[in-house]
Amino acid sequence: MVAEDLIWGYIYPNEIEIQWSILIVLYPYITGLVAGAFIASSLYHVFGKQEIKPVARFALLTALAFLLVATLPLVTHLGNPLRGIEIMFTPHLTSAMSGFGYIYSFYLIIVVLEIWLSFREDIVKNALKFKGWKKLMYSSLALFSYDISEKALHSDEKFARKLAIIGIPSAAFLHGYVGFIFGGIKANPWWSTPLMPIIFLMSAIVSGIALLILLYITASWLRKKVLNYKTLFSLAHYLWIFLILDVTLELLEIISMKYESLEEIEIIDRLLSEKIATTFYGVQLTMGIFIPFVLLILVMVMKNREKLKTLMIAVSSIFVVIGVFAMRWNVVIGGQEISKSLSGTNTYVPVFFSQEGVLPALIIMILPFIILTVLTYILPPWKDMET
Amino acid sequence: MDISRREFTKFGCRIIIGAAAGATIVESIATMGAAQVESPNKDYDWNEHLWGYVVDTRKCIGCGRCANACKLENEVPFDEPVYRTWIERYRVTREGNEETVKIDSPNGGIDGFIEDIPAKEIKKAFYVPKICNHCDNPPCVQVCPVGATYMTEDGVVLVDYEYCIGCRYCIQGCPYGARYFNIEKGTADKCTWCYHRITKGLLPACVQACPVGARKFGDLKDPESEINKILDKERINVLKADLGTKPKVYYVGLDREVR
Ligand code: SF4
Ligand code: SF4
């Protein structure tokens, strides 16, 4: 039935089944990308960083594309998916998970409004320009109000800014909260730390910026346009700063665990040295943080050589998004590979075809890119990038 | 807020979400997720009881009858590795000054245990029956996002199978590994202290099945009950007391190795 060699030491008999699969790894990964992309766009919308402007609207569309699939891994994984909606009607508020429906919906509204406001001028112009079904589509998107006078646009912008100001804490909340879902579980020594929300948030920002960089480079390449290097380097700079915050927190957590050496340290040492050594030290820390960190320093000190620097930034960003995925994996899967008896470990073996397998995970990961393509077709953000 | 959760659902569908949220906050916090507000059967008043459980580890012989009886009584999927109660075996061996503890619970102890370490190498050995602790401060109830797992007035932690969405957060939240996922129902599942029996004045199946009286069950509100007598006389411990879960399964003769 279950291969004995997957288990070391003693685990509680009910722990033979690992409950949260790769889909639950995707959930914090995707919400993290959303929060990160949104915060990247706020660098312009709220903090007025002009160099980010070319990708600010693109970042919002990216956030929406991923946000739209964020509930999928959760619902797919439920034992009774049809009852999932109960979380909206009868949330049980002592549960960290119960707020998800509300926080998610609130955030969705903010992102959609923010997009609407920042694209309204284009929408109205298109509504006036096109004929037939396109006219209908843009007119309905414009909510049949066509005022794009200087004054109207100005008040749009003011409102968008206010919205983005609310957006930042809610993005932080959306994701910090996901961290708390794990951080608040006292039963699991690998999860239970008050640092978890903030670690999740930092890695979210890092992954969101890296994703934005990759999408920006890809989009420019596909559209055969030159990159705005100022924007790219500035994004790289922010990536670097958030990497430092991220690694500080992640190391702080491990170091204090080791230093305090509580009862659970033996099993955690075993987790780190046997179970997730590669994904933790190798992928999460070395590939996901240290290599990009060094590459980005080089980018900052190097003069000219734009092509090479772009390549280095691209490689760093790829490493970062993989590293953050590994981080989610190490938390979600790693936490379940140690037994709460603190006396043994189990092994998660992903299956490909199953409700909670790798295949649905892949589909869920491909979907946002399709959604993003459609979104950019309806609301092209490209002209910002060209000026 | 004296409305049941199910009525509340219907109600919640009709009124606007904002109002629903507000009202739910009150209900949800006030009831700690009680899915039912009435005693399960007419002749039984759940306000009159508070159930408790005692395990005397010194008596347990590891025969596994309790775990077997539980699976049969409660239709726990027999061939799946899921258990409402199980028996752990601890064997401490010594080599020089090195002590090692070997813990096992093959198939939850249902089929008994095989002697695979020569007796002369074993320094100390004992069995520890495990079961849901029906914690008085249960993290599983705390973390359930829809309140499908709840505590009855007589102190039993139950799952509402009609309501559970199957997110398995409670399984993560229980520090004792007492919960499992029931594939047939698509919900979380766990020991009920045989609620269908105890509310009719019977004992839980595991207590009934134990040939040596290592498992005792009774009413903490009744000063004359057998378990109160034991609690008064013996030195008692609970599992993972430091987590603040306040278990209502009390152990006599619990070794420090047991977690
Ligand atoms: S032992 Fe676990 S399942 Fe039972 S009440 Fe305590 S936390 Fe809940
Ligand atoms: S699996 Fe069911 S009982 Fe457990 S937390 Fe989720 S909804 Fe609640």
Side-chain angles (χ1 to χ4, degrees):
Chain A
M1 194 167 43
V2 180
E4 286 295 321
D5 49 355
L6 298 178
I7 297 169
W8 172 88
Y10 174 67
I11 67 172
Y12 291 134
N14 283 330
E15 287 177 328
I16 289 175
E17 308 267 8
I18 294 225
Q19 301 296 337
W20 285 357
S21 63
I22 184 164
L23 288 182
I24 304 298
V25 178
L26 282 194
Y27 160 58
Y29 188 55
I30 291 176
T31 52
L33 293 171
V34 173
F38 187 87
I39 285 173
S41 94
S42 323
L43 289 172
Y44 166 70
H45 284 119
V46 179
F47 301 106
K49 301 280 173 221
Q50 289 300 325
E51 59 278 17
I52 305 295
K53 188 176 178 193
V55 289
R57 296 202 299 177
F58 186 49
L60 283 177
L61 295 180
T62 308
L64 180 61
F66 279 85
L67 193 57
L68 287 176
V69 301
T71 53
L72 284 184
L74 288 184
V75 177
T76 317
H77 144 273
L78 291 182
N80 277 292
L82 295 179
R83 294 182 195 162
I85 193 71
E86 294 298 352
I87 212 167
M88 298 294 280
F89 293 134
T90 56
H92 179 234
L93 293 165
T94 57
S95 165
M97 201 184 270
S98 67
F100 176 74
Y102 287 101
I103 298 172
Y104 174 85
S105 317
F106 179 72
Y107 189 62
L108 184 64
I109 294 170
I110 291 199
V111 173
V112 168
L113 266 181
E114 185 81 23
I115 291 181
W116 187 71
L117 288 169
S118 38
F119 280 94
R120 211 176 65 87
E121 189 183 353
D122 300 2
I123 296 175
V124 171
K125 282 183 182 156
N126 282 338
L128 300 175
K129 189 169 80 187
F130 287 117
K131 296 235 155 30
W133 67 271
K134 274 196 172 175
K135 184 180 184 68
L136 190 68
M137 177 178 78
Y138 284 109
S139 307
S140 4
L141 280 179
L143 303 178
F144 302 99
S145 116
Y146 304 102
D147 182 3
I148 46 168
S149 62
E150 190 91 339
K151 205 171 130 222
L153 287 181
H154 187 67
S155 67
D156 275 7
E157 198 173 300
K158 265 182 34 202
F159 187 52
R161 175 145 191 266
K162 284 201 189 116
L163 212 60
I165 293 178
I166 311 174
I168 298 179
S170 29
F173 196 67
L174 174 76
H175 200 68
Y177 153 84
V178 176
F180 189 74
I181 289 185
F182 297 95
I185 294 298
K186 64 183 169 190
N188 191 320
W190 180 235
W191 289 348
S192 170
T193 156
L195 282 180
M196 199 60 101
I198 183 102
I199 293 180
F200 262 55
L201 187 58
M202 286 309 141
S203 48
I205 297 177
V206 165
S207 68
I209 298 179
L211 174 75
L212 187 61
I213 292 177
L214 290 175
L215 287 172
Y216 178 42
I217 296 178
T218 317
S220 309
W221 178 69
L222 285 176
R223 299 177 57 253
K224 305 200 174 41
K225 302 281 180 203
V226 278
L227 282 162
N228 181 333
Y229 287 116
K230 214 168 152 214
T231 303
L232 184 69
F233 294 155
S234 154
L235 281 173
H237 190 82
Y238 285 112
L239 180 59
W240 184 77
I241 293 174
F242 283 108
L243 271 179
I244 298 179
L245 293 173
D246 188 27
V247 72
T248 310
L249 290 165
E250 281 177 21
L251 290 182
L252 180 61
E253 192 206 338
I254 296 295
I255 290 168
S256 58
M257 264 187 197
K258 294 217 176 204
Y259 192 80
E260 290 184 1
S261 282
L262 297 175
E263 188 186 14
E264 60 262 20
I265 192 63
E266 279 177 34
I267 199 71
I268 287 188
D269 275 343
R270 191 163 188 104
L271 175 73
L272 286 173
S273 62
E274 308 255 319
K275 306 301 295 182
I276 57 170
T278 328
T279 47
F280 185 78
Y281 295 112
V283 189
Q284 178 179 340
L285 290 182
T286 311
M287 178 174 174
I289 295 180
F290 293 116
I291 298 179
F293 178 78
V294 174
L295 282 178
L296 292 174
I297 292 186
L298 292 177
V299 167
M300 280 183 279
V301 296
M302 261 168 30
K303 297 242 154 52
N304 303 320
R305 316 197 59 178
E306 261 74 23
K307 281 259 152 57
L308 179 64
K309 287 205 273 186
T310 307
L311 182 69
M312 286 160 71
I313 294 175
V315 170
S316 309
S317 302
I318 293 174
F319 281 11
V320 166
V321 288
I322 297 174
V324 173
F325 183 81
M327 183 263 176
R328 309 296 189 224
W329 176 279
N330 293 333
V331 171
V332 177
I333 302 297
Q336 297 178 89
E337 287 191 336
I338 53 173
S339 166
K340 291 181 214 152
S341 69
L342 307 183
S343 311
T345 58
N346 196 358
T347 311
Y348 170 62
V349 187
V351 264
F352 194 81
F353 299 102
S354 93
Q355 186 191 341
E356 296 201 36
V358 179
L359 183 67
L362 282 176
I363 295 173
I364 290 172
M365 265 333 273
I366 293 169
L367 269 180
F369 296 98
I370 299 174
I371 298 176
L372 184 61
T373 314
V374 176
L375 284 177
T376 55
Y377 181 74
I378 303 172
L379 302 172
W382 313 126
K383 77 169 198 281
D384 316 357
M385 298 183 185
E386 272 136 40
T387 40
Chain B
M1 296 302 299
D2 199 18
I3 37 178
S4 82
R5 182 160 287 275
R6 252 176 241 105
E7 276 164 19
F8 188 81
T9 318
K10 284 192 228 138
F11 175 62
C13 296
R14 275 184 236 120
I15 59 175
I16 55 165
I17 303 250
T24 320
I25 290 173
V26 181
E27 189 224 20
S28 180
I29 289 173
T31 60
M32 272 289 279
Q36 281 160 339
V37 289
E38 274 163 31
S39 280
N41 70 46
K42 273 204 290 319
D43 317 322
Y44 176 82
D45 182 359
W46 67 3
N47 293 307
E48 283 173 8
H49 308 277
L50 182 66
W51 300 113
Y53 199 104
V54 169
V55 176
D56 191 336
T57 59
R58 300 168 307 187
K59 289 186 180 158
C60 178
I61 54 170
C63 67
R65 289 191 197 179
C66 47
N68 193 41
C70 172
K71 278 221 171 186
L72 296 174
E73 174 72 25
N74 295 297
E75 290 169 6
V76 180
F78 210 90
D79 299 319
E80 302 278 329
V82 294
Y83 309 87
R84 292 186 179 194
T85 184
W86 65 97
I87 305 105
E88 294 171 356
R89 172 173 65 175
Y90 289 72
R91 287 173 296 175
V92 184
T93 52
R94 185 159 47 192
E95 226 175 282
N97 278 337
E98 274 292 297
E99 275 192 1
T100 24
V101 188
K102 187 164 178 355
I103 315 167
D104 62 355
S105 181
N107 191 23
I110 291 180
D111 315 320
F113 294 83
I114 313 159
E115 297 303 334
D116 51 356
I117 301 179
K120 62 176 187 318
E121 286 172 24
I122 299 174
K123 184 186 144 220
K124 176 161 87 171
F126 51 89
Y127 296 101
V128 181
K130 292 273 186 89
I131 190 167
C132 164
N133 291 286
H134 295 270
C135 307
D136 201 32
N137 182 21
C140 57
V141 171
Q142 180 188 36
V143 301
C144 176
V146 294
T149 190
Y150 61 100
M151 198 196 295
T152 59
E153 289 300 319
D154 43 0
V156 182
V157 175
L158 298 177
V159 179
D160 183 336
Y161 305 114
E162 305 288 302
Y163 213 79
C164 168
I165 61 176
C167 68
R168 290 164 252 183
Y169 199 18
C170 54
I171 305 180
Q172 307 290 0
C174 170
Y176 305 97
R179 289 178 164 253
Y180 59 91
F181 186 66
N182 188 320
I183 301 181
E184 286 154 22
K185 296 184 184 136
T187 67
D189 212 340
K190 68 183 280 300
C191 158
T192 63
W193 271 348
C194 287
Y195 204 63
H196 58 291
R197 292 171 58 94
I198 59 173
T199 50
K200 293 192 194 99
L202 301 170
L203 285 172
C206 51
V207 177
Q208 187 97 51
C210 179
V212 294
R215 294 170 177 251
K216 300 281 179 196
F217 180 82
D219 193 345
L220 295 168
K221 277 192 180 166
D222 171 9
E224 296 305 311
S225 68
E226 189 185 5
I227 63 161
N228 262 334
K229 293 264 159 66
I230 301 174
L231 295 182
D232 290 346
K233 197 175 79 205
E234 298 287 351
R235 286 149 203 223
I236 298 292
N237 212 337
V238 292
L239 294 169
K240 301 191 186 187
D242 54 325
L243 293 181
T245 51
K246 304 207 172 85
K248 292 200 293 291
V249 172
Y250 304 96
Y251 282 85
V252 181
L254 196 66
D255 192 85
R256 65 179 167 147
E257 298 295 349
V258 181
R259 290 196 188 92

